[in-house]
Amino acid sequence: MEKIIKGRAFVLGDNIDTDQIIPAEHLVYSLSDPEEAKNYGRFALSGVPLNQSGLPKGGIPFVEENQYLTKYQIIIGGSNFGCGSSREHAPFALQVAGAKAIVAESYARIFYRNCVDGGFVVPYETLEKLNDKIETGDQLELDLNENILRNLSKNETYKLRPLGDILPIIEAGNIFEYARQNNMI
Amino acid sequence: MGMTITEKIMAKSSGKKRVEPGESIWLNVDVLMTHDVCGPPTIEIWKREFGDKAKIWDKDKLVIFPDHYIFTKNPQANRNVNILREFASEYNVPNYYDVGTDRYKGVCHIALAEEGYNLPGTVLFGTDSHTCTSGAFGMFSTGVGNTDAAFILGTGKIWEKVPESLKFIFEGNMPEYLTAKDLILMILGDITTDGGTYKALEFDGEAIFSMQMDERMTLTNMAIEAGAMNGIIKADEITEKYVRERTDKPYEIFESDPDAKYRETYRYQVNKIEPLVAKPHSPDNRDTVRNVAGRKLTKCYIGSCTGGKLTDFYNAAKIIFGNEVKVPTFVVPGSTYVARQLEVETINGITLKEIFEKAGCVVAQSSCAACLGGPVDTVGRATDGEVVISTTNRNFPGRMGSKKSEVYLASPLTVAASAITGFITDPREFL
Ligand code: SF4
């Protein structure tokens, strides 16, 4: 897996729930049919009120209308990211849209597990509040070796909480790969 | 240093002597539960990952309840139930409770208790965030996504991070106007919707142990509303009696050591707590019923895994007895067992069901129904502009069917008092 994730920042506020990440009305698409599943990318983060979408200015959709891929690879959140239902479609939608990682102060447990075990996106926790320091569009570099986030646009570096016990699962790709590599299945 | 009840159960399940909060461990799962919404994708992932070798790790430990979107014409929803049905017959799943048969049970979390799957000291995972409900039986239970459930389905194992514990002690005797629902709304107002993230909420105190099992389940059910991993209440004689009436499977009772470590301990005197509501649009948006009394309603709803148990209906019927409801009021039993009991339990010689029907309530079939909105033909669903008071557990925008509705969460006593006035009403006016 990539140890350095490069991309642009997409900044969100606190308490981004799974309905904002993928509204319930879109849960009808197949997760396994690649053509149909593209719709999850199209509607990723479409439940976020537009003025809260792409901070600090807001008004920036994560995926532009009738597009399936985002221009932003690293999502910067606040606290309690992914709260709400246990729907795995949420981290899946972010992955399908092209997001690679999330950096947030804290996560709701089930969402966090789903990110890791399904191998959808890398969820990093920040030690400090970052969604008021980073701006949507900033060029970022996430370093999994050093557990730091570099903001190339602002020439700043932020320390992240090491991934710890979940790192081997992330490195393997998902929980099934991890288990196969360790002869558990 | 001592251990909490949650730590002890996790240690036992992982084959360790002791575990520490923050540590990731592999647990051996005693029961995996799934339902019609998350069961089909779980089965799909399981088949994809295990291929031709796909084998259920232990058929007796898999329990499947269709309960969410079942009484509907919606084709995708019906397709989901069909997938479960075919899976159960192809793999000979003994614990499949098919809708449309006399095995049908109703809402999964209530049915798990009633069918004897909740056993003190055991570990239960489910593909539903309210799986924490089972913690009322002194066991570890929590919700997971489809990938994790598929992994359990094939291996019987899953990793989990040992949570820190928060303790909530409720002292004193429950006044007649209070229910478990008021206590959990109190906690949610204090610690908010992320105050329990990755933590265990442990409930203690004489007020808790005076409650019947179904009231205790209201507390553990809403642990997830604080973001918690699990809610837990140690087993006592009431628990053992309930369990022994339903199963002879073995179990083991654990309790927290006196010197166990808690991140925080909260103490409440129950006689100082008033009837409470959660205002739109969050379960932690707490207020007293007194402060919001007089708000005009368009609908009342008594049901779900939180507020659709026998004690909930008994409490509601006490107030509704001899009155008529002023707004459409839906009574949705959480399980088919509860539904049958509504025709058995009486107040002054009249069955609860008759009390509700005479008052003009709609008594519906047991299922999740409008608790989570559901397809458009779901009974009791909220529509645009409605103001609803409900015994359910979530009032996020759109949860009961319309983003343009307002939902207040309250106890069955408060909902019943409000139903007979048409305005949010303090139940003390009728007790
Ligand atoms: S009754 Fe409501 S909260 Fe309970 S399982 Fe069903 S949808 Fe979920």
Side-chain angles (χ1 to χ4, degrees):
Chain A
M1 67 152 313
E2 296 169 81
K3 283 297 187 126
I4 307 274
I5 297 174
K6 291 183 183 185
R8 293 191 184 279
F10 191 80
V11 183
L12 294 164
D14 295 336
N15 293 311
I16 297 294
D17 69 70
T18 52
D19 253 297
Q20 296 185 55
I21 299 172
I22 183 76
E25 63 196 287
H26 301 306
L27 302 180
V28 293
Y29 307 114
S30 162
L31 297 158
S32 49
D33 177 85
E35 259 319 294
E36 207 176 316
K38 270 167 56 184
N39 286 300
Y40 286 105
R42 181 171 167 202
F43 295 113
L45 290 172
S46 65
V48 179
L50 200 56
N51 61 350
Q52 305 287 313
S53 181
L55 298 175
K57 281 208 220 62
I60 306 170
F62 181 59
V63 178
E64 273 173 32
E65 206 162 335
N66 294 322
Q67 297 295 305
Y68 296 86
L69 282 175
T70 181
K71 292 189 240 153
Y72 309 96
Q73 292 73 31
I74 301 176
I75 295 167
I76 307 296
S79 62
N80 207 20
F81 196 98
C83 55
S85 80
S86 63
R87 71 181 65 142
E88 204 163 296
H89 310 71
F92 178 75
L94 298 178
Q95 182 196 42
V96 175
K100 296 253 172 5
I102 309 172
V103 178
E105 276 165 84
S106 64
Y107 296 86
R109 171 183 156 272
I110 301 179
F111 176 83
Y112 181 79
R113 293 186 64 95
N114 289 345
C115 288
V116 174
D117 288 354
F120 301 118
V121 280
V122 178
Y124 254 111
E125 283 178 311
T126 62
L127 300 166
E128 52 181 326
K129 193 170 167 56
L130 290 185
N131 60 348
D132 56 358
K133 295 199 172 67
I134 299 173
E135 293 182 42
T136 295
D138 282 359
Q139 194 68 46
L140 303 178
E141 207 174 84
L142 183 63
D143 186 332
L144 274 71
N145 295 313
E146 309 271 335
N147 297 306
I148 51 174
L149 180 65
R150 294 187 198 93
N151 188 335
L152 306 180
S153 306
K154 296 208 161 41
N155 220 348
E156 290 175 338
T157 301
Y158 321 102
K159 269 212 193 92
L160 305 175
R161 198 183 294 274
L163 293 167
D165 299 326
I166 62 159
L167 181 62
I169 302 176
I170 291 176
E171 284 179 328
N174 63 41
I175 192 173
F176 293 99
E177 284 307 324
Y178 170 83
R180 274 191 275 272
Q181 288 174 9
N182 289 279
N183 297 320
M184 293 172 68
I185 56 173
Chain B
M1 176 63 69
M3 286 198 283
T4 66
I5 177 172
T6 298
E7 289 156 16
K8 286 184 182 179
I9 298 170
M10 292 180 99
K12 181 193 164 210
S13 170
S14 61
K16 296 188 168 201
K17 274 226 168 60
R18 64 174 298 127
V19 294
E20 305 283 344
E23 188 181 346
S24 286
I25 52 172
W26 286 85
L27 298 173
N28 288 301
V29 178
D30 294 300
V31 170
L32 173 67
M33 185 280 296
T34 190
H35 53 51
D36 55 301
V37 175
C38 296
T42 296
I43 294 165
E44 192 174 308
I45 297 170
W46 172 75
K47 283 189 176 157
R48 182 187 77 205
E49 294 293 338
F50 292 97
D52 299 339
K53 287 185 302 192
K55 194 172 153 291
I56 300 172
W57 100 100
D58 187 336
K59 279 184 193 170
D60 292 325
K61 294 181 174 176
L62 172 66
V63 189
I64 308 177
F65 299 106
D67 60 354
H68 275 61
Y69 299 160
I70 49 175
F71 300 123
T72 171
K73 294 203 171 67
N74 181 293
Q76 276 96 2
N78 290 323
R79 180 179 67 180
N80 275 340
V81 178
N82 276 332
I83 293 173
L84 294 182
R85 199 169 279 148
E86 280 161 22
F87 171 77
S89 88
E90 184 181 346
Y91 291 89
N92 282 318
V93 178
N95 308 314
Y96 174 57
Y97 295 94
D98 204 357
V99 58
T101 72
D102 54 12
R103 282 175 64 75
Y104 174 63
K105 297 295 174 210
V107 181
C108 55
H109 310 299
I110 304 184
L112 278 172
E114 289 172 353
E115 296 305 305
Y117 294 108
N118 288 350
L119 294 167
T122 60
V123 168
L124 184 150
F125 280 77
T127 59
D128 189 284
S129 62
H130 289 103
T131 305
C132 49
T133 311
S134 297
F137 289 76
M139 58 193 284
F140 177 82
S141 66
T142 191
V144 285
N146 309 332
T147 296
D148 283 344
F151 192 88
I152 298 171
L153 189 58
T155 66
K157 291 187 187 346
I158 194 69
W159 70 273
E160 190 56 90
K161 212 156 142 184
V162 180
E164 288 185 303
S165 292
L166 304 177
K167 192 170 194 162
F168 300 89
I169 304 172
F170 289 92
E171 287 164 347
N173 295 320
M174 285 290 276
E176 200 196 359
Y177 51 83
L178 275 198
T179 70
K181 185 60 162 285
D182 300 290
L183 305 192
I184 190 69
L185 292 179
M186 186 73 199
I187 290 174
L188 287 166
D190 285 351
I191 71 171
T192 77
T193 50
D194 66 350
T197 301
Y198 259 104
K199 294 188 182 67
L201 310 190
E202 188 176 322
F203 305 96
D204 201 353
E206 55 181 320
I208 304 297
F209 292 105
S210 70
M211 291 176 186
Q212 290 306 308
M213 290 317 294
D214 61 356
E215 275 288 272
R216 297 181 194 186
M217 286 162 70
T218 301
L219 291 163
T220 49
N221 176 279
M222 290 184 68
I224 184 65
E225 265 48 81
M229 179 185 294
N230 66 317
I232 197 159
I233 301 171
K234 83 165 183 225
D236 64 356
E237 312 80 67
I238 294 178
T239 322
E240 290 200 75
K241 182 165 180 288
Y242 185 101
V243 170
R244 275 295 162 250
E245 280 168 8
R246 288 162 174 85
T247 176
D248 50 18
K249 287 191 205 128
Y251 58 79
E252 188 179 351
I253 292 183
F254 291 91
E255 59 183 303
S256 298
D257 292 323
D259 60 343
K261 208 173 142 210
Y262 294 90
R263 172 70 181 261
E264 200 98 51
T265 298
Y266 299 79
R267 254 172 219 285
Y268 300 91
Q269 298 293 330
V270 286
N271 61 6
K272 300 228 169 77
I273 300 175
E274 289 194 48
L276 298 172
V277 291
K279 294 184 288 191
H281 293 284
S282 182
D284 63 359
N285 194 9
R286 179 188 74 203
D287 207 339
T288 60
V289 176
R290 257 191 318 158
N291 276 345
V292 293
R295 179 87 176 93
K296 193 164 173 23
L297 298 165
T298 62
K299 187 176 277 175
C300 296
Y301 189 94
I302 310 172
S304 83
C305 55
T306 333
K309 298 174 267 78
L310 193 55
T311 304
D312 299 312
F313 292 115
Y314 189 84
N315 281 331
K318 256 187 345 202
I319 287 188
I320 287 186
F321 188 93
N323 291 295
E324 270 176 30
V325 297
K326 295 281 187 316
V327 286
T329 298
F330 295 85
V331 168
V332 188
S335 70
T336 52
Y337 170 78
V338 171
R340 284 195 301 277
Q341 290 309 109
L342 293 186
E343 300 181 52
V344 174
E345 293 283 326
T346 59
I347 295 176
N348 294 342
I350 306 182
T351 69
L352 303 187
K353 189 171 181 193
E354 278 176 90
I355 293 169
F356 290 125
E357 283 177 346
K358 279 201 180 125
C361 305
V362 176
V363 181
Q365 276 174 291
S366 163
S367 87
C368 292
C371 171
L372 82 164
V376 284
D377 54 353
T378 303
V379 62
R381 198 170 184 273
T383 52
D384 289 359
E386 285 211 83
V387 184
V388 184
I389 193 163
S390 172
T391 66
T392 51
N393 47 30
R394 285 186 176 151
N395 58 347
F396 300 127
R399 170 76 179 178
M400 290 190 76
S402 164
K403 284 202 172 141
K404 294 187 183 138
S405 67
E406 290 182 21
V407 177
Y408 289 79
L409 305 177
S411 81
L413 293 171
T414 302
V415 173
S418 306
I420 56 185
T421 62
F423 300 89
I424 295 182
T425 301
D426 195 312
R428 284 172 291 191
E429 290 180 24
F430 293 92
L431 287 166

